Amino acid sequence: MFSTKMTVFLVLLLQSCIVLASDPDPLHDYCIPIPEFSSIFPSCKNSSLVTVEDFVYSGIKNPGDFKNTGFASIPVNSAVFPGLHTLGMSFVRADFEAGGINVPHYHPRATETAFVLEGRVYSGFVDSSNRVFARVLEKGEVMVFPRGLVHFQMNVGDSPASILGSFNSQNPGSVKIPNVMFGSSIKEEVLMKAFGLNDKEVHKLRKRFVPQ
Ligand code: MN
């Protein structure tokens, strides 16, 4: 029989594991979801039906569609690339026109490493004390953005730039600060008080960020 102390210790240990855990450990070598089961816990395809094509993704050969911020990204998570399912990782291709920006955002479920494939990219994040860690990265350099912290990138070269971001979650999520503030239906008065804006200024920002 375990002593009470031992039981408490084990419970605490178990809890700390749960708190520290990112995506859960896989139970199989791989689990290619059966397409018709699109729930959070889909069934795996029978391994005899799995082919090499389930482990290959060809959708990031070219840049995605550029937004008016001069930025194009193709997130490749388990929803887009089922081969990643249960493997605890995913990635993104991002391309910048000269001067293009990846607006301040954070990933609630993953730390990101961003590797500069081409160009010069001013990159940084802000910690929970509002301290900024930022500098220009050259081609071949990589920066880490800790999980849940706001980060941003801007092409400061005069030619296009590209990065490859990697995440330690199959579904990192992405919360864009301008959009979550002004592209959502947060009550206007809250935004006015929070940002010290008048109603005209709030309307202007809302117009810019509410999805058309
Ligand atoms: Mn990011």
Side-chain angles (χ1 to χ4, degrees):
M1 283 295 283
F2 282 147
S3 68
T4 315
K5 262 188 185 169
M6 193 66 179
T7 311
V8 169
F9 172 74
L10 284 174
V11 167
L12 285 176
L13 186 70
L14 187 67
Q15 272 183 343
S16 69
C17 289
I18 292 166
V19 170
L20 293 174
S22 191
D23 286 13
D25 278 337
L27 299 172
H28 310 276
D29 289 354
Y30 47 80
C31 171
I32 309 299
I34 298 171
E36 50 267 33
F37 290 90
S38 58
S39 68
I40 298 171
F41 301 106
S43 302
C44 310
K45 244 191 219 180
N46 185 314
S47 62
S48 65
L49 301 173
V50 172
T51 74
V52 64
E53 295 307 324
D54 288 305
F55 302 106
V56 174
Y57 183 76
S58 309
I60 55 165
K61 287 182 180 174
N62 299 305
D65 295 330
F66 282 91
K67 306 247 166 32
N68 56 8
T69 49
F71 176 71
S73 72
I74 307 176
V76 186
N77 49 44
S78 58
V80 179
F81 180 15
L84 293 173
H85 182 64
T86 73
L87 300 185
M89 61 177 300
S90 60
F91 54 99
V92 62
R93 173 182 175 153
D95 293 86
F96 302 75
E97 292 168 347
I101 63 158
N102 185 6
V103 300
H105 66 280
Y106 67 90
H107 306 287
R109 292 178 291 278
T111 290
E112 174 178 7
T113 54
F115 178 74
V116 179
L117 298 165
E118 203 59 67
R120 299 177 67 237
V121 183
Y122 177 70
S123 308
F125 71 88
V126 190
D127 73 10
S128 55
S129 315
N130 298 334
R131 185 168 170 206
V132 179
F133 298 85
R135 79 158 166 89
V136 175
L137 302 191
E138 307 284 342
K139 175 178 176 173
E141 291 189 294
V142 59
M143 185 161 183
V144 60
F145 304 126
R147 173 169 149 178
L149 297 189
V150 171
H151 56 279
F152 50 83
Q153 291 150 322
M154 177 168 65
N155 180 3
V156 290
D158 15 325
S159 52
S162 304
I163 62 150
L164 180 69
S166 304
F167 303 98
N168 64 336
S169 168
Q170 69 172 35
N171 184 23
S174 183
V175 179
K176 294 179 175 64
I177 304 301
N179 305 66
V180 79
M181 288 293 122
F182 296 102
S184 67
S185 53
I186 293 179
K187 194 174 166 65
E188 193 177 301
E189 192 184 345
V190 173
L191 295 174
M192 286 165 64
K193 286 179 174 166
F195 291 95
L197 300 171
N198 62 36
D199 53 348
K200 269 194 188 139
E201 289 165 331
V202 169
H203 285 158
K204 194 177 159 196
L205 285 164
R206 277 226 159 126
K207 238 183 171 171
R208 187 182 154 118
F209 292 106
V210 168
Q212 302 300 315

